[in-house]
Amino acid sequence: MLLSTTDTLAGKEIVETIGLVKGNSVQSRNVGRDMIAGLRNIVGGEMKEYAEMLVRSREIATQAMEEEARRLGANAIVGVRFSTSSVMDGTSEVLAYGTAVRVKE
């Protein structure tokens, strides 16, 4: 599956636009992770535990988006974007979305 943040793929011809595809992941915080991050919040520094959680969440959301595109017969997704939001206290959602297309192979 080809992914692009642009609306075109260099060297590829889009022969069909299939439509919007998306995938999301909702992750909750972990008590142990919160304690370590809380200490980092006091002394400063990168909160690696949360960064790693968001990386995993983006990967899960991207995979779900790709699976939806494959089910629709796409072989590429253009205009890929990510959105992050807080669903409720202690949880975050990552949404991946884009336009599923078929490119000439």
Side-chain angles (χ1 to χ4, degrees), residues 21-60:
V21 289
K22 64 225 164 289
N24 71 326
S25 173
V26 177
Q27 298 282 318
S28 65
R29 296 187 313 197
N30 170 293
V31 173
R33 188 184 306 147
D34 282 352
M35 290 189 330
I36 293 169
L39 291 173
R40 281 214 179 86
N41 194 31
I42 294 169
V43 298
E46 180 183 3
M47 295 189 178
K48 294 177 183 176
E49 297 78 20
Y50 291 141
E52 290 169 3
M53 179 183 76
L54 288 171
V55 166
R56 281 192 308 276
S57 197
R58 273 193 304 274
E59 290 170 353
I60 292 166

Side-chain angles (χ1 to χ4, degrees), residues 60-78:
I60 292 166
T62 300
Q63 288 173 355
M65 177 183 65
E66 288 180 26
E67 289 171 12
E68 182 179 355
R70 278 190 195 91
R71 280 193 306 273
L72 296 171
N75 61 0
I77 304 171
V78 296

Side-chain angles (χ1 to χ4, degrees), residues 82-101:
F82 293 94
S83 175
T84 305
S85 63
S86 177
V87 176
M88 59 183 262
D89 189 37
T91 64
S92 66
E93 175 191 34
V94 173
L95 173 67
Y97 61 97
T99 303
V101 298

